[in-house]
């Protein structure tokens, strides 16, 4: 039965207001029609503003869906709720595996059902009809930041607005390579798709290390068309400086690339740091794939988080933190736990091989390096 990770925000994570009016705690209620309460109905002349509270934190849950692969409120959807720990504390109660999650109404950032989606939900609601009244939270098709305000211009019942679950998980993939990438080993440079557990791979910090696990995940043309954020990033030859990479390097959006410069040292106290490939978009020679193009991703796992040589550029291996593992899927997690039985207990001990460039500090760092005309790897 298909399983999907999603990030949910409870209703008390939000406030909302109309046309600059007073702020109201929570989310608008669901009407008996299955849509948003008419008193809150947004339009071109009635502007609804939804604000995520500064201290809001999403809850990551696992949805078990046995029909459409979409979050919906249709009476025949039988959409259900599940998660890894078999119980989840949400909205003041504990919901066990099998508790139903029903879509209520959907809000849009554009007029007439266009733009990004924010789908409200109710747990253990009526799965054969409509529940009017308060909703318990929402799932967003776009990443939300604490304190962010979202302008809502239209809404409708979720039955007619649901998207595939891939749209609600943040669109993230684990750090991974694509076929054809050359990885430096004790046997020379080998295509990543030819590597097997037991091979010895060159690492920046610990010499040749034994490869413990190789994972593979394929996204179809339909999946990348529906969720283009999972499309790979291409770093053209030499874009990092000093002929690195030696040929085009194609990796997943979250795959982190090693930067080395004095500018990095001023920010982190160390001359080396890791930056997600997607943060380099906008630079000359960095691009993202086209929606509707299938892609195969390959993951390399060692005993520790390592930096390996790929197309003569230093990039990271898979880091076994919770978010990265969830992006792999349950089957891959089960395989990895056979190799590392204490994986979850070790999570707090896992350390990144280098500081990670992120947020406002990361944007300033990348802009400074670009404007200085210095290479990203000196």
């Amino acid at each position: 039965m298909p399983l999907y990770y999603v990030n949910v925000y409870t209703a008390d994570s939000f406030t909302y207001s109309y046309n600059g009016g007073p702020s109201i705690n929570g989310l608008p209620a669901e009407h008996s029609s299955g849509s948003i309460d008419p008193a809150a109905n947004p339009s071109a002349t009635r502007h609804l503003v939804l604000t995520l509270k500064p201290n809001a934190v999403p809850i990551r849950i696992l949805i078990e869906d046995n029909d459409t692969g979409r979050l919906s409120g249709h009476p025949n959807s039988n959409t259900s709720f599940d998660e890894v720990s078999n119980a989840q504390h949400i909205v003041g109660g504990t919901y066990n595996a099998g508790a139903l999650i029903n879509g209520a109404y959907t809000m849009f950032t554009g007029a007439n059902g266009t733009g990004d989606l924010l789908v409200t939900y109710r747990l253990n609601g009526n799965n054969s009809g409509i529940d009017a009244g308060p909703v318990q939270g929402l799932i967003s098709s776009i990443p939300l930041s604490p304190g962010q305000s979202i302008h809502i211009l239209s809404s409708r019942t979720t039955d007619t607005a649901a998207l595939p679950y891939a749209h609600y998980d943040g669109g993230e993939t684990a750090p991974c390579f694509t076929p054809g990438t050359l990885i430096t080993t004790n046997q020379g440079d080998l295509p990543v798709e030819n590597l097997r557990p037991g091979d010895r791979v060159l690492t920046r910090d610990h010499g040749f290390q034994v490869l413990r696990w190789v994972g593979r995940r394929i996204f179809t043309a339909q999946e990348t068309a529906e969720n283009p954020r999972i499309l790979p990033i291409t770093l053209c030859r030499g874009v990092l400086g000093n002929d690195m990479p030696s040929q085009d390097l194609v990796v997943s959006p979250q795959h982190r690339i090693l930067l080395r410069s004095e500018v990095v040292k001023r920010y982190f106290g160390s001359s080396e740091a890791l930056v997600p490939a997607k943060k380099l978009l906008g630079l000359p020679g960095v691009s993202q794939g086209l929606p509707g193009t299938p892609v195969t991703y390959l993951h390399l796992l060692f005993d520790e988080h390592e930096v390996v040589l790929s197309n003569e550029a230093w990039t990271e291996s898979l880091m076994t933190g919770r978010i990265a593992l969830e992006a792999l899927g349950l089957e891959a997690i089960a395989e990895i736990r056979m190799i590392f039985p204490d994986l979850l207990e070790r999570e707090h001990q896992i350390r990144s091989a280098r500081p990670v460039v992120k947020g406002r500090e990361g944007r300033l760092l990348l802009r400074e390096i670009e404007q200085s005309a210095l290479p990203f790897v000196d």
Side-chain angles (χ1 to χ4, degrees), residues 1 76-77 129 170 181 202 223 244 252 292 337 367:
M1 193 170 292
N76 297 321
S77 68
T181 304
L202 180 64
E223 287 173 315
M244 287 185 282
S252 62
R337 291 198 70 177
R367 186 181 304 126

Side-chain angles (χ1 to χ4, degrees), residues 109-121:
T109 58
N112 302 315
T114 61
D116 298 309
L117 287 75
L118 294 95
V119 181
T120 60
Y121 68 84

Side-chain angles (χ1 to χ4, degrees), residues 71-363:
L71 174 63
S72 70
H74 194 279
N76 297 321
S77 68
N78 295 319
T79 309
S80 60
F81 165 83
D82 198 352
E83 36 61 53
V84 173
S85 64
N86 296 323
Q88 183 68 60
H89 188 72
I90 302 178
V91 202
T94 297
Y95 296 87
N96 294 319
L100 299 178
I101 179 167
N102 304 108
Y105 60 83
T106 297
M107 297 176 284
F108 299 86
T109 58
N112 302 315
T114 61
D116 298 309
L117 287 75
L118 294 95
V119 181
T120 60
Y121 68 84
R122 183 179 290 104
L123 287 165
N124 274 343
N126 180 2
N127 203 43
S128 60
I130 293 170
D131 287 307
V135 296
Q136 290 177 301
L138 66 74
I139 301 171
S140 174
S141 69
I142 52 174
L144 301 179
S145 302
Q148 177 182 356
S149 292
I150 307 103
H151 295 262
I152 305 298
L153 297 185
S154 59
S155 69
R156 66 173 66 154
T157 176
T158 292
D159 290 356
T160 59
L163 285 177
Y165 276 105
H167 284 260
Y168 305 110
D169 67 2
E172 304 298 347
T173 57
C176 36
F177 300 98
T178 56
T181 304
L182 297 177
I183 305 296
T184 301
T185 74
N186 64 339
Q187 301 296 318
D189 291 346
L190 299 178
V192 63
E193 64 270 28
N194 291 350
L195 296 181
R196 298 292 182 269
D199 288 343
R200 299 182 65 83
V201 175
L202 180 64
T203 69
R204 188 165 178 81
D205 300 323
H206 304 114
F208 291 102
Q209 289 294 306
V210 174
L211 183 60
R212 299 296 303 276
W213 179 80
V214 179
R216 178 186 296 259
R217 183 169 182 179
I218 299 172
F219 289 97
T220 66
Q222 180 179 345
E223 287 173 315
T224 66
E226 292 177 339
N227 188 12
R229 286 172 293 186
I230 63 178
L231 286 163
I233 306 295
T234 297
L235 282 70
C236 289
R237 175 180 176 176
V239 71
L240 299 175
N242 296 314
D243 202 32
M244 287 185 282
S246 58
Q247 62 187 54
D248 290 359
L249 178 64
V250 185
V251 295
S252 62
Q254 286 293 338
H255 200 120
R256 293 181 287 205
I257 313 297
L258 185 78
L259 304 183
R260 184 181 69 240
S261 76
E262 287 302 310
V263 179
V264 173
K265 188 173 184 178
R266 291 205 302 273
Y267 280 81
F268 294 99
S270 168
S271 61
E272 296 185 349
L274 292 167
V275 60
K278 68 177 185 178
K279 297 292 185 184
L280 299 175
L281 284 171
L283 297 176
V286 182
S287 61
Q288 190 160 22
L290 296 176
T293 304
V295 60
T296 297
Y297 284 131
L298 296 122
H299 321 283
L300 304 181
L301 180 64
F302 300 87
D303 285 323
E304 303 293 338
H305 187 224
E306 301 286 1
V307 180
V308 302
L309 205 53
S310 50
N311 288 358
E312 298 298 323
W314 292 103
T315 66
E316 69 169 336
S317 67
L318 178 64
M319 183 175 178
T320 54
R322 179 178 61 84
I323 300 301
L325 287 176
E326 288 176 357
L328 297 177
L330 295 180
E331 184 176 348
I333 293 174
E335 290 179 12
I336 294 171
R337 291 198 70 177
M338 290 180 66
I339 302 170
F340 302 103
D342 62 343
L343 184 63
L344 296 181
E345 291 73 19
R346 291 179 55 211
E347 182 176 354
H348 68 283
Q349 302 173 1
I350 298 169
R351 294 183 179 181
S352 174
R354 295 292 186 282
V356 177
V357 174
K358 54 187 176 181
R360 180 176 179 273
E361 186 178 44
R363 291 192 295 272

